[in-house]
Amino acid sequence: MSFTAQQIQSFKKIETPFYYYDLRVLRATLEIVQQYSKQYEYVVHYALKANANLRILHLIEKYGLGADCVSGNEVLRAVEAGFSPSHIAFAGVGKTDKEILTGLRHHIFSFNCESVQELEVINELAAQINTKARIALRLNPNVEADTHHYITTGLHENKFGISLQDLPAILDKMAQLKNLELTGIHFHIGSQITNLDNFKKLCLKINEIVKFFDEKQIKLTHINVGGGLGIDYLQPNVNPIADFANYFGVFHQYLQRRPHQAIHFELGRAIVAQCGSLISKVLFVKEGQQKKFAIIDAGMTELIRPALYQAHHEIEALTPEATTATVYDIVGPICESSDCFGTDRKLPTLQRGDLVAIRSAGAYGEVMASQYNLREKVRVLYNE
Ligand SMILES: *Cc1c(COP(=O)(O)O)cnc(C)c1O
């Protein structure tokens, strides 16, 4: 059991469902990240799309991380949370003019660009307001990520990035775009990557690409290797902190760095996933023909990952007094068959009114919540 009797008592006083963020876990994670970024002189950005909760952002900013944004509103949220615009990268395959202007007006660290047309538009908008945009080209390294099909991004078949064949033509084009300054290159091969060999392959590919830029005598002041480090969804209590030692170690070992180059990372999930749980109450226990269902008051509206990607989350019954176990499908109240948090889960026998915790829900949880079925906005509780 990962919650104390006292915590469970305090949960019972609050209307469910709610996200519970353990800021002690977040701090412990950030301390490790800070330690490695100092040791290797790496710059780590936090990817806001994993969790844009202001309280969490404030804490992350205090540990000196930069921000990685994928929309104009995320840029504004990062600024609101205290991130310096000079530490904000703005990625995304479809930036609107309004979003680009937001980034330009704040003089952000870099626009991570994915097409010729995008470069032309940023150049034009920058000229209109008399400024220059710093650009990192997002390249598609065609590296596997061994992750779920929907969250791999670094293959030719994916919509992301510029393919290496197109790079020479793009560089020629960029030479004519006077309001752009090429400062770096950017990669992001996917998410929830636990086989670190994929990051080694990325490093080797980047080394080749950097050589190509050297030959062209184009000076890149930064290499942004993206994010994607996975976490342990099966054993959140055993591994509450992602394997940052080996992750940063791979880049240190395999990425050849020029003396003038800064290495940037953009981690989302690995920073926030394990600090969050979704706490929910059992509404009904229903005996089906073949199965027992525990129907809880949280649904895909609060946490969509199981429905969207067949993601696994550990589910814990917060019932210290239960003495027998039963196998359940844990389902939500939403009128969709995919609204299911787990099948055939053996849990302490549940009664109406018992609480359950859906673990490792700090990333891509609250931020993806919706009001489908006119659900209420999900509540939040913090543990200092
Ligand atoms: C989503 C995303 C990230 C963060 O991915 P995680 O798997 O959460 O670490 C980083 N960079 C870009 C460009 C992204 O789209």
Side-chain angles (χ1 to χ4, degrees), residues 47 49-50 68 70 91 138 186 188 190-192 226-229 266-270 364:
K49 77 173 196 276
D68 168 51
V70 290
R138 176 168 181 177
H186 171 231
H188 176 66
S191 202
Q192 183 51 22
L229 174 62
E266 302 169 334
L267 293 167
R269 185 192 315 269
Y364 306 105

Side-chain angles (χ1 to χ4, degrees), residues 113-114 136-142 153-154 160-164 166-167 170-171 184-189 202 206 209-210 212-213 220 224:
C113 294
E114 310 209 10
L137 293 175
R138 176 168 181 177
L139 303 176
N140 186 328
N142 201 28
T153 56
F160 297 101
I162 292 165
S163 80
L164 297 175
D166 298 337
L167 185 56
I170 286 190
L171 293 175
I185 50 176
H186 171 231
F187 303 84
H188 176 66
I189 58 172
L202 174 64
I206 295 176
I209 295 169
V210 170
F212 166 86
F213 278 92
L220 298 172
N224 183 338

Side-chain angles (χ1 to χ4, degrees), residues 42-291:
Y42 287 156
V43 183
V44 181
H45 298 244
Y46 166 66
L48 263 79
K49 77 173 196 276
N51 189 323
N53 176 306
L54 262 178
R55 189 79 175 269
I56 286 182
L57 292 182
H58 279 304
L59 191 54
I60 293 173
E61 193 279 327
K62 278 209 188 82
Y63 280 81
L65 280 75
D68 168 51
C69 302
V70 290
S71 73
N73 284 344
E74 282 192 1
V75 171
L76 294 173
R77 177 69 64 89
V79 171
E80 181 189 356
F83 289 90
S84 158
S86 63
H87 295 147
I88 296 178
F90 183 10
V93 66
K95 304 176 185 76
T96 65
D97 292 16
K98 184 176 161 190
E99 292 178 311
I100 292 167
L101 284 167
T102 297
L104 287 171
R105 293 206 172 99
H106 282 94
H107 302 288
I108 58 170
F109 168 70
S110 80
F111 287 87
N112 298 347
C113 294
E114 310 209 10
S115 69
V116 179
Q117 201 166 32
E118 182 187 347
L119 291 166
E120 289 169 345
V121 169
I122 295 176
N123 182 63
E124 204 178 296
L125 293 171
Q128 274 173 26
I129 63 166
N130 245 324
T131 187
K132 264 191 149 189
R134 287 183 282 259
I135 304 291
L137 293 175
R138 176 168 181 177
L139 303 176
N140 186 328
N142 201 28
V143 168
E144 288 278 356
D146 291 335
T147 185
H148 189 279
H149 180 63
Y150 283 180
I151 52 176
T152 172
T153 56
L155 285 174
H156 283 327
E157 65 199 65
N158 300 126
K159 69 178 175 183
F160 297 101
I162 292 165
S163 80
L164 297 175
Q165 287 94 309
D166 298 337
L167 185 56
I170 286 190
L171 293 175
D172 289 345
K173 177 82 205 175
M174 274 192 86
Q176 302 157 25
L177 303 176
K178 300 299 177 204
N179 291 74
L180 303 185
E181 181 191 354
L182 177 62
T183 57
I185 50 176
H186 171 231
F187 303 84
H188 176 66
I189 58 172
S191 202
Q192 183 51 22
I193 298 168
T194 49
N195 178 357
L196 297 180
D197 204 43
N198 295 302
F199 292 115
K200 173 184 167 186
K201 285 183 197 148
L202 174 64
C203 290
L204 301 179
K205 200 60 166 266
I206 295 176
N207 293 342
E208 285 173 35
I209 295 169
V210 170
K211 250 187 231 146
F212 166 86
F213 278 92
D214 283 349
E215 282 158 15
K216 288 219 152 209
Q217 295 180 334
I218 297 173
K219 197 168 165 184
L220 298 172
T221 55
H222 81 275
I223 312 288
N224 183 338
V225 300
L229 174 62
I231 61 130
D232 191 346
Y233 280 102
L234 294 172
Q235 294 184 292
N237 293 335
V238 178
N239 295 308
I241 297 182
D243 188 4
F244 293 110
N246 285 313
Y247 173 71
F248 288 119
V250 164
F251 288 92
H252 181 64
Q253 186 176 355
Y254 294 104
L255 191 63
Q256 291 161 4
R257 169 185 199 163
R258 306 288 182 268
H260 59 272
Q261 268 166 5
I263 309 296
H264 289 240
F265 293 79
E266 302 169 334
L267 293 167
R269 185 192 315 269
I271 295 186
V272 290
Q274 298 289 31
C275 78
S277 295
L278 178 60
I279 310 295
S280 179
K281 190 180 279 177
V282 176
L283 294 173
F284 306 110
V285 178
K286 171 168 145 176
E287 297 262 359
Q289 284 297 318
Q290 280 144 24
K291 293 201 154 200

Side-chain angles (χ1 to χ4, degrees), residues 4-37:
T4 63
Q6 207 178 7
Q7 279 172 314
I8 295 170
Q9 275 313 314
S10 71
F11 292 171
K12 287 186 175 157
K13 296 187 189 121
I14 297 164
E15 193 179 343
T16 49
F18 59 89
Y19 274 96
Y20 175 72
Y21 292 118
D22 192 338
L23 300 182
R24 296 170 311 178
V25 173
L26 180 57
R27 279 192 205 95
T29 306
L30 290 166
E31 269 158 31
I32 304 274
V33 170
Q34 196 178 41
Q35 178 198 318
Y36 286 107
S37 60

